Amino acid sequence: MFSRKAVFLVVLACASSFWSCSTLKKGSSFNLFSIEDDKQLGLQFSRQIEADTRQFPLLPEQGNEEVYKFVRGLTQRLLRTGKVAHAGDFAWQVKIIKDDKTLNAFAVPGGYLYVYTGLIKYLDSEDQLAGVMGHEIAHAALRHSTQQMTRIYGLDALRQIVTGKSDPSLLAQIALELISLKFSRTHESQADEHSVIYLCGTSLNAAGAAGFFEKIQGKGGTPPEFLSTHPDPGNRVKKIKAKAEELGCTGRDSNKSNYERIKKLLR
Ligand SMILES: [Zn+2]
């Protein structure tokens, strides 16, 4: 049992810095939000995102059934490994944003995932896309998003959104900033690591995310969320590959030809 004073001190430390909080007890998911709050927050944000068709033009489901089936199937494969926290109780909804210029994917609390057509077209194989999806799934599953949003916007603002009492403009503003939500270095490393853990439970190459970093190294443009907080993508590539080796992952599938076929459907 914790003494009351000790609990108070932990809460205080976490309220002032969620980054240090996440390192207080490795592997724990101390969070001032409840799981229900994560789900509610995600629901509110997903509604806002999907209503804002100018900023987030969704790829229509009609006519793109096969592409949706592919991306959702890939996500389900990772969820079925038994390695994803909240695999059974978060929404795990996948939507594709029709924007060929953006190399990005992002996750909203409660398991609402968004992936840009620009990213799907940029990548070369199924394991690469699965690696990036795994990274984003990890941010939601490990509840990094709520920790980080609390740090940036404060608990009060998020509580107002959870209860539906917030100013609509605040919800809209935060939704826009979700795409580029900056995570701590610890959270980025954890998300990379979990991407490997999830893929390791499939027949796919578990270091799929490394393929993305290798590809984007040396390219200009605005780095997507999963690159921006790390100055050295090379280091991430090494760590991802080392993790796959450490876990003894045997999967080698990259399914390039099927991936090319899916990309062609997006044209
Ligand atoms: Zn990330």
Side-chain angles (χ1 to χ4, degrees):
M1 285 289 286
F2 289 114
S3 75
R4 207 182 290 172
K5 193 177 171 194
V7 171
F8 175 73
L9 283 174
V10 169
V11 170
L12 199 69
C14 292
S16 61
S17 167
F18 274 90
W19 292 5
S20 59
C21 176
S22 66
T23 57
L24 270 180
K25 218 174 114 192
K26 218 177 172 213
S28 75
S29 56
F30 191 91
N31 194 312
L32 292 174
F33 269 87
S34 70
I35 302 293
E36 273 316 305
D37 288 340
D38 267 48
K39 292 183 195 170
Q40 264 308 315
L41 203 60
L43 186 64
Q44 302 288 347
F45 279 117
S46 68
R47 283 183 182 153
Q48 170 62 34
I49 286 166
E50 285 155 39
D52 188 350
T53 53
R54 202 170 61 88
Q55 292 292 340
F56 304 100
L58 294 184
L59 183 75
E61 303 251 356
Q62 207 175 5
N64 294 293
E65 290 86 354
E66 191 132 1
V67 181
Y68 269 105
K69 200 176 148 203
F70 172 77
V71 181
R72 286 172 179 157
L74 205 52
T75 307
Q76 285 304 319
R77 266 181 94 175
L78 303 184
L79 294 174
R80 277 197 306 264
T81 58
K83 306 284 184 193
V84 182
H86 303 294
D89 66 329
F90 277 4
W92 302 116
Q93 172 200 281
V94 186
K95 297 268 167 107
I96 301 171
I97 299 170
K98 189 172 166 47
D99 174 356
D100 287 350
K101 291 193 185 76
T102 305
L103 300 182
N104 208 354
F106 66 96
V108 170
Y112 296 85
L113 308 170
Y114 297 88
V115 54
Y116 285 77
T117 52
L119 179 74
I120 299 174
K121 288 185 175 184
Y122 178 75
L123 297 175
D124 299 316
S125 56
E126 202 172 316
D127 60 320
Q128 289 179 354
L129 182 63
V132 175
M133 296 299 283
H135 178 102
E136 294 304 326
I137 287 172
H139 279 316
L142 302 173
R143 307 178 64 217
H144 293 160
S145 316
T146 24
Q147 289 184 35
Q148 196 58 6
M149 286 163 73
T150 309
R151 200 179 167 275
I152 298 171
Y153 305 106
L155 204 55
D156 284 353
L158 295 188
R159 284 247 184 263
Q160 283 173 15
I161 291 172
V162 167
T163 54
K165 288 178 189 153
S166 74
D167 177 349
S169 67
L170 177 71
L171 181 65
Q173 180 212 326
I174 299 181
L176 282 181
E177 291 170 5
L178 277 175
I179 325 164
S180 52
L181 185 67
K182 300 275 189 291
F183 291 100
S184 70
R185 192 170 280 253
T186 308
H187 284 172
E188 286 305 336
S189 298
Q190 276 181 2
D192 282 353
E193 207 168 277
H194 279 76
S195 170
V196 177
I197 293 170
Y198 305 156
L199 267 68
C200 198
T202 72
S203 62
L204 292 164
N205 161 35
F212 168 77
F213 291 120
E214 284 175 322
K215 196 172 160 80
I216 208 161
Q217 269 180 66
K219 306 247 174 185
T222 310
E225 175 276 315
F226 32 89
L227 266 189
S228 53
T229 50
H230 277 253
D232 180 11
N235 198 25
R236 290 178 83 174
V237 168
K238 273 189 208 144
K239 279 190 170 171
I240 289 168
K241 289 183 174 173
K243 185 72 189 173
E245 201 148 307
E246 176 201 321
L247 295 175
C249 308
T250 52
R252 293 289 176 264
D253 291 355
S254 60
N255 301 337
K256 277 191 179 176
S257 55
N258 187 49
Y259 194 77
E260 283 305 319
R261 185 181 65 83
I262 296 295
K263 273 163 69 168
K264 283 200 184 101
L265 294 173
L266 275 177
R267 268 177 207 153

